[in-house]
Amino acid sequence: EIPITRGRIAIRSVTWGTIPGTTLAHIRISNFSKNVTEDLKKALQEAQKPEVTGIVLDLRNNPGGLLQEAVGVASQFLKDGTVLQVRDAQGKVKDLAVQPGGLATDKPMVLLINGGSASASEIVAGALQDAARGSVVGETTFGTGTVLQQYKLSDGSALLLAFEEWLTPKGRVIWHQGIEPDIEVKLPLDVMHVTPNAERGMTAEQVKSSGDVQLLRAVEELTQPGS
């Protein structure tokens, strides 16, 4: 017999650090759970250093989460405008506006996405891309763009029906389409993403030889002349 004690594990959805050998902040959001916007604000406040010249926002393999957190996250990088459009089953469209007071609306940035970026990640990617806020690097996202509602049936099963659809600020469809990157960079199958936590124990040379070509391309975009 083995005694097991249940415990509550706190998972940090937002991590950040300076990419070794650069003056760039690498901010990773692993999901859009409750309070992610506040956690991002804390990270951005910590990154408001004179030596930090740009931001790599990493949404790779982020499956999404809460809509309000997606709006809050996108609003940290946009001065004004729209984060997304919501179209209902009758075809009526409403805009969800950028929340004022973003902390990183002027800092140069690059967004990283891939096939594991879905739902709320695609909302943020679409908003930043439509606003031409910075280059989007990586691979086309998953393509989740509907809001589902559950209807319970008499036999105990349930039916999920889509009753709203998410569109980018310019009206682009996300469902089954995904967000295509501005710069397509495929990560080799045998290469793992470099995360901010991993970077804390790495040298600049180790980052360069990591094989994370998506991250390295983001660094290149933010450090080349004229960026």
Side-chain angles (χ1 to χ4, degrees), residues 59-63 113-118 122 138-144 179 193 214:
L59 298 183
R60 292 178 294 179
N61 289 343
N62 182 322
I113 57 174
N114 69 357
S117 306
E122 296 173 294
E139 300 167 76
T140 301
T141 60
F142 187 79
T144 304
I179 302 297
H193 301 146
Q214 295 169 339

Side-chain angles (χ1 to χ4, degrees), residues 76-78 104-109 127-135:
Q76 298 311 305
F77 303 98
L78 299 171
T105 58
D106 293 316
K107 188 78 74 173
M109 69 176 297
L128 298 181
Q129 189 176 57
D130 279 5
R133 180 60 183 84
S135 296

Side-chain angles (χ1 to χ4, degrees), residues 16-19 22-27 47 52-57 199 222:
W16 88 279
T18 303
I19 301 173
T22 77
T23 55
L24 305 176
H26 183 187
I27 301 177
V52 174
T53 59
I55 296 172
V56 176
L57 180 61
E199 288 165 349
L222 288 169

Side-chain angles (χ1 to χ4, degrees), residues 11-35:
I11 299 176
R12 294 183 62 189
S13 298
V14 179
T15 54
W16 88 279
T18 303
I19 301 173
T22 77
T23 55
L24 305 176
H26 183 187
I27 301 177
R28 180 174 184 262
I29 303 178
S30 61
N31 62 74
F32 286 86
S33 56
K34 187 177 180 181
N35 296 324

Side-chain angles (χ1 to χ4, degrees), residues 109-112 132-137 182-183 221:
M109 69 176 297
V110 167
L111 176 66
L112 291 178
R133 180 60 183 84
S135 296
V136 179
V137 174
D182 301 315
I183 304 170
E221 287 295 307

Side-chain angles (χ1 to χ4, degrees), residues 182-203:
D182 301 315
I183 304 170
E184 184 178 32
V185 180
K186 293 184 179 296
L187 193 71
L189 294 176
D190 59 343
V191 173
M192 297 290 291
H193 301 146
V194 174
T195 66
N197 285 338
E199 288 165 349
R200 294 190 180 97
M202 300 175 71
T203 65

